[in-house]
Amino acid sequence: MTAELVRGQNHPLSRARLEIRISAGTPIVASATLGDADGRARDAAWVAHPGAPTLPGLEVSKQAAADHRLAVDLDVMPEAVHRVNVLLALPAGSGGPVRFGAVAAPFVAVTGLDGAEVASYTITGLDAESAVVALELYRRQGAWKVRAVGQGYAGGLAELLTDQGLSEAHQLAGTINDAVAHGQARSVPAPPQRASDGDRTRRTAAPALGPDQGGPTRQGTPGPAGPQPSSPYEPQGTRPEPSTGPVDPSAVTRPATPTTGGPVDYSHPGRQTSAPPPPPPTAPAGPPGQPAQPVAGDATGWSMDERLYNQVWGMFEDLARTTAAYRSAVDFAESRREKELDQVLSDPRSRIGGQGDAAREAARAKYLRLVDQAREALDRDLAQLGAESDVVEPALPPAYARWDNPVWHGYRVPMEIPMAVRVGDLRLPESESLRIPMLVRLPLERGLWIDGGRTAHLGDAGPDAHALRHLAMETAVALAARLLAVYPAGEFAVHVVDPAGSGAQALVPLVRTGVLAAPPALGAAGVSDVLTRLTQRVDLVQMAVRGGAADSLPPGLDTAEQLLVVNDFPHGFDDRAVNQLRYLADEGPAVGVHLMLVADREEAAGYGPLLDPLWRSLLRLTPVPDHHLADPWVGHAWTYEPPLVPPGSQVLQQVLTQVATARTKYR
């Protein structure tokens, strides 16, 4: 399972011989420095660059290119070397971009020699920087790890190398630039866009959690300008038109002796490693002065699913931004009105009489005019977002779609895991009718908590305590069914713990179709049995991964992702079971064991602060609309709506039946 790193995160390396694959939308220079125990490079001989590409255990590219493959053999590294820093820089004086903020976010992946990704990192947040430390391989207690760094330098290679401890940094940077200039004629341009969706792991910086990441606008990154150069393997004047369908690698033929006169394309004909292509220019232009008509998939990405994912989060950002602008304008209008009224009241001559009344009316009129202008801008943006939502919602795949979407009527068990799954809808008070899908990346990085207790938002209205618990369990069943439906057959298993049997009615769709890994566990003995098996599984997988023996797991171990649904917590749980549950919440997601807790926090108050880390580690969802999701980006409190199945609909039963049938064939 590939680890998608964020800045500062590390991941263990179980292999010694590695490739570091780099993809960018423009030619860049890839170098590497070796560091001692203090992380300092001793001299220029500890730097691998285009002018001196080979060091013991390390080899880099000899030229600037849009794609690079660096070879690393950690077993051959000298004992004095404790760190390997991977450096990226834009070529100086090449006439190309001079800052990373003007190009697509570079993507770096650490892979085995077989191409299997170990860890990947998309370097986001760069602007004026022209050089960056992308990754760091470091030795800790005899074991190697990789860390995502993403440290940029506006001063270019010279500043970066100086920070690495090299006194001759400026001279070395000049040597590297000279070597790149001499080899510029052989640089590999960005590959042409291909129709095949191919490898979806080379993605742009889409916010994993949405609200707290990314910029405020949705601007696609343009592809390489101008026509792409002809392949040297095609005679001049015979280059075929680009195919509009997927490319069959077996159909690519090459003459024995390549012709000359063009740059050499070293890329594999069947492997896509470039930066994600921009959205296709299919949006029809609107009338003059009017925005273009929205289209589904109008975002960057390798596949339509990825483009829709990025588009949905772009809509989220747009709604957050335009609402923040409206609220800010209203606040400004109120403060201006109060200031003008204070000025009127501070003068005794204008407190009473016609002059004071006129001043008050003028202040009120200005306030209303400013608010109306802000509301007009908000309504315009909401209309555009509403039109986009009307186009995007019907085009969403099952993993992103509501249960009432017609796409479920044509549902088929997928062959691969999607990027994300919809866990509900989000809206704001200023736009009650506009709902943004809440997408959570897969595999789940944290557990889910379905809060079955009453919230301050409900007050005395809404369902009673018993009805809330039932709705909470129905929400958990709908989410578990959706996860089963979006994973390939046999790659996701669901376990249920229902100590008192109170969730039997809500669990009927899962039990009747036979999609559960085992019947729901009842009583304290059932709780103990399920928790013991899952904690043992976590321990086994952790030991195998840390020991570099991931292929040596017991034959009978189910390697599918596991989801544990716990109803009516903490009923039936003793202290040992509570500790096991906390262990699963903390350690399980990293090895494919996930937790979905249906609980009222008030009922678990007897445990005191012992369970506080558990609640904080889980993503809290509610069975009824509630504005509990805070947005640290602009400070909004978003109203969450659960993804319940429409009353009377048979879609859940039909989908789960197909999942059960596919699982039987898989076995």
Side-chain angles (χ1 to χ4, degrees):
M1 185 169 58
T2 303
E4 297 185 5
L5 305 180
V6 297
R7 182 172 297 175
Q9 186 178 2
N10 60 44
H11 186 74
L13 296 173
S14 58
R15 309 183 187 190
R17 300 185 66 187
L18 303 166
E19 278 189 350
I20 299 177
R21 302 185 179 186
I22 302 165
S23 299
T26 187
I28 59 174
V29 180
S31 306
T33 61
L34 305 180
D36 56 19
D38 296 326
R40 315 289 286 182
R42 294 183 177 178
D43 52 37
W46 278 38
V47 182
H49 57 82
T54 305
L55 291 177
L58 179 64
E59 184 175 358
V60 303
S61 306
K62 297 181 180 180
Q63 59 192 41
D67 302 300
H68 292 269
R69 289 191 181 186
L70 281 59
V72 179
D73 190 344
L74 299 175
D75 286 341
V76 185
M77 288 290 171
E79 288 295 327
V81 174
H82 290 262
R83 298 176 187 269
V84 180
N85 294 293
V86 178
L87 320 178
L88 308 180
L90 294 169
S94 64
V98 296
R99 60 187 185 92
F100 276 110
V103 301
F107 175 86
V108 186
V110 179
T111 75
L113 297 184
D114 57 356
E117 287 190 2
V118 179
S120 63
Y121 174 43
T122 302
I123 309 173
T124 61
L126 299 178
D127 187 9
E129 298 87 346
S130 58
V132 60
V133 179
L135 294 178
E136 175 188 59
L137 311 182
Y138 63 97
R139 197 198 314 248
R140 181 70 53 83
Q141 297 178 349
W144 285 89
K145 295 184 178 183
V146 58
R147 176 184 288 118
V149 180
Q151 175 63 52
Y153 295 84
L157 266 177
E159 182 182 356
L160 187 156
L161 294 172
T162 300
D163 199 39
Q164 294 283 313
L166 293 167
S167 57
E168 63 272 35
H170 287 79
Q171 179 182 354
L172 180 58
T175 301
I176 295 174
N177 290 329
D178 290 343
V180 171
H182 283 102
Q184 195 70 35
R186 297 182 292 118
S187 66
V188 181
Q193 298 176 14
R194 294 172 51 175
S196 172
D197 286 342
D199 181 4
R200 72 173 179 83
T201 61
R202 274 69 170 163
R203 55 177 72 97
T204 52
L209 298 178
D212 57 344
Q213 298 180 8
T217 61
R218 289 184 287 149
Q219 299 294 334
T221 302
Q228 296 295 330
S230 301
S231 167
Y233 300 106
E234 299 166 2
Q236 294 297 325
T238 62
R239 180 175 177 86
E241 291 298 320
S243 170
T244 57
V247 177
D248 181 4
S250 64
V252 179
T253 58
R254 298 181 176 181
T257 305
T259 60
T260 59
V264 179
D265 183 3
Y266 294 99
S267 62
H268 190 285
R271 182 180 296 120
Q272 186 154 352
T273 58
S274 64
T282 56
Q290 297 295 324
Q293 296 299 316
V295 295
D298 186 19
T300 57
W302 284 111
S303 64
M304 177 56 76
D305 284 2
E306 185 175 356
R307 291 197 290 270
L308 287 169
Y309 172 84
N310 290 337
Q311 186 173 13
V312 166
W313 279 117
M315 293 165 60
F316 171 90
E317 293 172 351
D318 284 352
L319 180 57
R321 187 184 66 254
T322 190
T323 304
Y326 169 73
R327 294 179 179 179
S328 177
V330 172
D331 290 342
F332 170 76
E334 290 178 349
S335 64
R336 179 173 176 174
R337 179 187 60 183
E338 295 300 324
K339 181 179 179 180
E340 292 180 352
L341 290 177
D342 288 343
Q343 290 176 348
V344 172
L345 295 176
S346 63
D347 188 354
R349 295 171 297 178
S350 59
R351 290 178 185 171
I352 57 175
Q355 185 178 358
D357 293 340
R360 294 185 184 91
E361 186 61 31
R364 180 176 177 275
K366 289 181 181 178
Y367 166 77
L368 293 176
R369 185 171 64 255
L370 290 174
V371 171
D372 289 343
Q373 291 175 353
R375 187 70 210 192
E376 182 181 354
L378 175 66
D379 290 342
R380 183 178 61 250
D381 291 344
L382 292 180
Q384 180 68 11
L385 283 171
E388 187 173 9
S389 177
D390 292 341
V391 171
V392 169
E393 277 287 354
L396 294 177
Y400 304 169
R402 287 195 296 254
W403 285 113
D404 58 358
N405 193 312
V407 72
W408 287 106
H409 297 303
Y411 168 77
R412 294 293 182 270
V413 177
M415 299 299 293
E416 62 178 15
I417 303 173
M419 285 186 61
V421 66
R422 187 174 190 157
V423 297
D425 292 340
L426 299 172
R427 57 181 170 86
L428 290 171
E430 288 83 357
S431 52
E432 291 286 343
S433 61
L434 180 59
R435 287 161 172 77
I436 306 296
M438 181 179 175
L439 304 181
V440 174
R441 291 289 292 271
L442 291 178
L444 296 173
E445 297 179 355
R446 59 191 299 199
L448 304 176
W449 164 31
I450 316 300
D451 189 355
R454 297 191 66 82
T455 64
H457 175 64
L458 286 175
D460 296 331
D464 58 23
H466 177 75
L468 267 177
R469 291 193 184 93
H470 180 71
L471 280 173
M473 196 58 193
E474 284 189 339
T475 303
V477 169
L479 289 170
R482 182 178 289 267
L483 288 167
L484 281 166
V486 303
Y487 270 80
E491 294 193 18
F492 196 84
V494 176
H495 308 262
V496 175
V497 169
D498 187 18
S502 59
Q505 182 180 352
L507 289 169
V508 166
L510 298 177
V511 175
R512 183 178 296 171
T513 54
V515 294
L516 294 178
L522 302 174
V527 171
S528 177
D529 178 64
V530 173
L531 292 178
T532 299
R533 284 190 285 110
L534 290 178
T535 52
Q536 288 177 349
R537 182 188 187 279
V538 171
D539 291 339
L540 280 173
V541 177
Q542 280 187 338
M543 287 189 292
V545 172
R546 291 170 181 170
D551 298 332
S552 303
L553 292 169
L557 184 72
D558 185 6
T559 57
E561 299 275 317
Q562 310 287 316
L563 174 68
L564 174 59
V565 180
V566 178
N567 183 37
D568 205 16
F569 177 81
H571 183 83
F573 281 72
D574 55 18
D575 291 345
R576 180 172 181 270
V578 169
N579 288 329
Q580 288 177 318
L581 195 69
R582 286 185 54 187
Y583 177 74
L584 290 179
D586 293 338
E587 304 294 335
V591 292
V593 178
H594 311 285
L595 180 63
M596 185 184 295
L597 197 63
V598 182
D600 180 358
R601 189 169 182 174
E602 296 279 338
E603 296 181 357
Y607 286 94
L610 176 66
L611 291 182
D612 286 349
L614 175 64
W615 305 120
R616 287 195 297 266
S617 68
L618 303 175
L619 174 61
R620 177 175 174 252
L621 305 176
T622 54
V624 293
D626 186 74
H627 50 58
H628 67 279
L629 289 177
D631 176 2
W633 182 33
V634 289
H636 297 328
W638 291 80
T639 297
Y640 166 81
E641 292 186 359
L644 295 174
V645 180
S649 173
Q650 297 299 313
V651 63
L652 194 64
Q653 189 78 17
Q654 296 168 3
V655 169
L656 291 177
T657 300
Q658 289 200 40
V659 171
T661 303
R663 177 176 295 181
T664 302
K665 295 179 180 178
Y666 172 79
R667 290 175 180 171

